[in-house]
Amino acid sequence: MSIEIDEAYLKRQLEALLRIASPTGYTDEIVHYCSGELERLGLKPELTRRGAIRAVRQGSRRHGARAMVTHLDTLGAQVKSVKDNGRLEVVPIGHWSARFAEGARVTVFSSAGSFRGTILPIKASGHTFNDEVDTLPVGWRYVELRIDAVTTSRQETLALGIDVGDVIAIDPAPEFLENGFINSRHLDDKAGVAIALAAIEALERTAATTPVDTYWLFTIAEEVGVGASSILTGDIASMLTIDNGTSAPGQNSAEFGVTIAMADQSGPFDYHLTKKLVDLCQSEGIPYQKDVFRYYRSDSASAIEAGHDVRTALATFGIDASHGYERIHMLALVSVARLVAAFAVSRVEIKRDAREISGVEGFTHQPTEEADNPLPPEFGSAGSRNT
């Protein structure tokens, strides 16, 4: 029987998460929030020195555990220099285009407290620059941050307490529509965190049992490539990453159902774990599609590159305009949450994975048999078309 996801709870968590600024390097407050919610759900979060979260939901066996991983950090920016006009030169945190920074309302976190401001093109006034506002190139060198404070010089801005290196959070500006669409920045990966919390809530509400321990991991530096590199334990045999899938021209992702990633720029995901996700979607009636991402990496990549010997897979919610003005749909979030819960309670099929090293007995096979592919009758037995 399928585990029902509380859609209202998922939506409330996403709304709450979006209200907390958490660009990479400035994630303490969202770590506190997420830890508190995990405790409320009955789990005991453990934090690394820098704040990545690990919470274990106990199953029938410890070894060969499963992990579900999402990331709390988002894109952002940082002060590169204080300019002579008192405005700020900025550089991105994470990989995103200055095209999507233009016009953004932001918060600057300084040693003296936070300041509000706007990222603008350096030629922002048509009344002053005329057609030059349209011919200005796109790039971080061509934008600046206007602070909502009285300052017209470098000295006045420094006197406010703002300095090089201060972290800048970009306003998400969320909008939840009645038809299920959600528009906001930072849906990558706050929607994934909301999915994980909703899956945990469903498992706890139904008192679901799992064959092995389930580790719920929340990382804090995925957007800069670190991700799950240091939070896994030797007990974890398989890891499911929950993140966005890019629904753009040339991609097979969609804003509805689950998009199962077959590969990203780090290579193919684990054959057997990915096939299991497909089988679960089919048996649970969860709509899905597959995709390959050429310019994409996730917590799975950082874990493998750090030397963790785990099977990895990636289940995504389709997101339009990723790392820009993002849009998703509630149906995708619920679909991914259903898959995560179904995976958590599903039986373990590769029992030797409980041991980090073992012999060849019980090792998996991948199919190599020739497919049943008979010629159509009109071709005849010799392979030439009958006329």
Side-chain angles (χ1 to χ4, degrees):
M1 180 178 178
S2 299
I3 297 175
E4 183 180 354
I5 300 299
D6 185 338
E7 183 175 336
Y9 172 84
L10 197 163
K11 180 182 176 183
R12 287 197 307 273
Q13 288 305 314
L14 179 54
E15 290 174 328
L17 291 162
L18 288 169
R19 285 194 294 268
I20 304 171
S22 60
T24 308
Y26 218 85
T27 53
D28 286 1
E29 297 315 304
I30 201 165
V31 167
H32 280 289
Y33 176 84
C34 191
S35 297
E37 185 60 21
L38 289 168
E39 289 177 343
R40 196 190 69 79
L41 291 172
L43 275 61
K44 184 179 179 181
E46 298 176 333
L47 274 60
T48 66
R49 291 183 180 91
R50 297 196 301 142
I53 304 171
R54 180 166 57 215
V56 183
R57 188 176 188 273
Q58 292 187 341
S60 302
R61 191 179 70 227
R62 175 182 178 187
H63 297 290
R66 291 166 172 160
M68 317 291 189
V69 59
T70 61
H71 65 91
L72 297 167
D73 63 308
T74 69
L75 301 169
Q78 217 167 357
V79 177
K80 173 65 172 65
S81 68
V82 180
K83 303 172 70 170
D84 290 340
N85 64 1
R87 299 188 178 193
L88 306 176
E89 180 186 359
V90 298
V91 291
I93 295 175
H95 183 72
W96 61 298
S97 172
R99 181 188 303 275
F100 303 112
E102 295 180 0
R105 292 288 291 162
V106 305
T107 299
V108 182
F109 296 107
S110 80
S111 60
S114 64
F115 292 84
R116 296 288 287 163
T118 306
I119 296 177
L120 296 170
I122 57 175
K123 295 182 179 181
S125 172
H127 290 105
T128 300
F129 299 107
N130 200 9
D131 292 342
E132 291 181 62
V133 297
D134 295 319
T135 59
L136 187 71
V138 173
W140 290 97
R141 292 184 301 162
Y142 306 105
V143 296
E144 62 185 7
L145 198 160
R146 180 187 66 196
I147 310 158
D148 295 335
V150 179
T151 174
T152 58
S153 70
R154 182 174 186 274
Q155 290 73 23
E156 288 176 337
T157 296
L158 291 172
L160 292 172
I162 297 172
D163 205 346
V164 172
D166 289 345
V167 173
I168 302 162
I170 314 301
D171 283 9
E175 184 178 357
F176 290 73
L177 302 182
E178 290 296 327
N179 63 5
F181 280 109
I182 303 166
N183 290 266
S184 180
R185 298 179 192 260
H186 312 321
L187 295 171
D188 169 18
D189 189 30
K190 292 190 175 180
V193 176
I195 286 169
L197 292 174
I200 295 170
E201 190 278 334
L203 293 169
E204 291 296 304
R205 172 170 35 85
T206 59
T209 59
T210 59
V212 292
D213 287 355
T214 307
Y215 284 75
W216 300 88
L217 309 177
F218 301 85
T219 67
I220 57 167
E222 191 273 348
E223 293 295 356
V224 295
V226 179
S229 59
S230 60
I231 197 173
L232 274 68
T233 72
D235 296 329
I236 297 172
S238 58
M239 184 177 82
L240 173 59
T241 297
I242 308 164
D243 211 329
N244 77 91
T246 56
S247 55
Q251 297 293 149
N252 197 47
S253 301
E255 291 178 83
F256 307 95
V258 180
T259 299
I260 298 174
M262 306 306 292
D264 66 7
Q265 67 186 53
S266 64
F269 289 99
D270 183 79
Y271 172 88
H272 301 283
L273 183 55
T274 300
K275 182 178 184 301
K276 182 180 182 70
L277 297 182
V278 172
D279 292 344
L280 285 171
C281 284
Q282 293 175 344
S283 64
E284 296 291 326
I286 301 171
Y288 77 96
Q289 52 275 326
K290 302 176 183 179
D291 208 347
V292 171
F293 304 128
R294 290 180 294 180
Y295 310 112
Y296 182 110
R297 55 178 283 125
S298 67
D299 281 297
S300 294
S302 60
I304 295 298
E305 290 167 1
H308 294 287
D309 182 33
V310 294
R311 299 185 186 275
T312 63
L314 173 62
T316 75
F317 47 93
I319 190 167
D320 189 79
S322 60
H323 283 201
Y325 301 113
E326 297 173 340
R327 188 184 74 174
I328 57 177
H329 197 278
M330 222 28 225
L331 289 178
L333 305 190
V334 172
S335 296
V336 177
R338 288 178 59 198
L339 176 59
V340 171
F343 175 55
V345 301
S346 65
R347 66 186 181 93
V348 174
E349 291 159 348
I350 309 174
K351 294 182 171 51
R352 74 181 296 278
D353 279 359
R355 301 182 298 276
E356 291 188 67
I357 298 292
S358 58
V360 72
E361 183 178 356
F363 188 66
T364 54
H365 288 278
Q366 293 166 322
T368 59
E369 296 82 6
E370 185 176 352
D372 184 15
N373 186 28
L375 289 171
E378 64 268 21
F379 277 81
S381 59
S384 57
R385 182 183 292 271
N386 292 328
T387 57

